[in-house]
Amino acid sequence: MALIKENQIAEDSWIFLDDDAPVPGNNQHIVVSLDRWQQERDQLIKRRGPIGVKLASDQSPTLIADDLAKLTLVALEFPAFKDGRAFSYARLLRERYGFEGEVRAVGDVLRDQLFFMRSEEHTSELQSQAYLVCRLLLEKNNFLYLLLFYLYII
């Protein structure tokens, strides 16, 4: 998967941990599930490294609102084309809760969601290769090439 951050292809320093994976040392950037965060919150905070929480599409940011000051990243899952709750969650994180860390869209955001993603509060996206190409063309205002690519992959 490719990472786009601030309109550039970027190196991803974050490790998305499975719930049963060991927690690496203090300097590693890690992302854990909401379940793991709720179970191991105190131990994760003690490790003093950057930490993020991944929310599934049915998990509202309200569940971590009191902990946002301790988080560097919130990853919002896009599990399916017709599930756009993460767009609303991104807005809630910024506007209601004042979260200033990184909001990351994860999953397979389809090209049909590309224009909505550009206007929302996501600061980085971890996406499929097709999305990466579309995003780069859009950011460079290459709409003709974007249209041709879109027609090609349909």
Side-chain angles (χ1 to χ4, degrees), residues 100-118:
E100 295 180 5
E102 182 176 340
V103 177
R104 182 177 291 193
V106 296
D108 194 16
V109 176
L110 301 177
R111 60 190 177 275
D112 296 337
Q113 295 170 317
L114 179 64
F115 296 102
F116 295 108
M117 182 71 69
R118 187 174 189 204

Side-chain angles (χ1 to χ4, degrees), residues 17-18 25 30-31 36 40 50 54 62 68 87 91 97 110 144 152:
L17 294 179
D18 291 330
I30 63 168
V31 180
R36 187 165 189 175
E40 302 175 25
K54 179 181 175 187
T62 305
L68 288 173
F87 288 116
R91 187 160 296 237
Y97 301 119
L110 301 177
L144 176 60
Y152 174 75

Side-chain angles (χ1 to χ4, degrees), residues 69-119:
K70 297 170 182 60
L71 301 175
T72 308
L73 177 143
V74 176
L76 301 174
E77 183 180 21
F78 284 81
F81 170 72
K82 62 183 178 179
D83 190 344
R85 289 177 280 186
F87 288 116
S88 299
Y89 294 163
R91 187 160 296 237
L92 283 173
L93 282 165
R94 294 288 192 224
E95 293 178 4
R96 182 178 297 171
Y97 301 119
F99 182 64
E100 295 180 5
E102 182 176 340
V103 177
R104 182 177 291 193
V106 296
D108 194 16
V109 176
L110 301 177
R111 60 190 177 275
D112 296 337
Q113 295 170 317
L114 179 64
F115 296 102
F116 295 108
M117 182 71 69
R118 187 174 189 204
S119 66

Side-chain angles (χ1 to χ4, degrees), residues 4-5 26-27 46 50 58 63-65 69 91 94 96-97 110 113-114 120 124 129 133 135 147 153:
I4 301 172
K5 189 171 183 176
N26 287 340
N27 295 328
K46 285 179 187 174
D58 62 347
L63 299 169
I64 58 170
R91 187 160 296 237
R94 294 288 192 224
R96 182 178 297 171
Y97 301 119
L110 301 177
Q113 295 170 317
L114 179 64
E120 289 299 325
S124 65
Q129 295 301 317
V133 171
R135 181 69 184 230
L147 176 62
I153 61 176

Side-chain angles (χ1 to χ4, degrees), residues 118-134:
R118 187 174 189 204
S119 66
E120 289 299 325
E121 299 296 326
H122 296 87
T123 54
S124 65
E125 301 85 26
L126 187 65
Q127 300 303 336
S128 67
Q129 295 301 317
Y131 175 83
L132 175 63
V133 171
C134 288

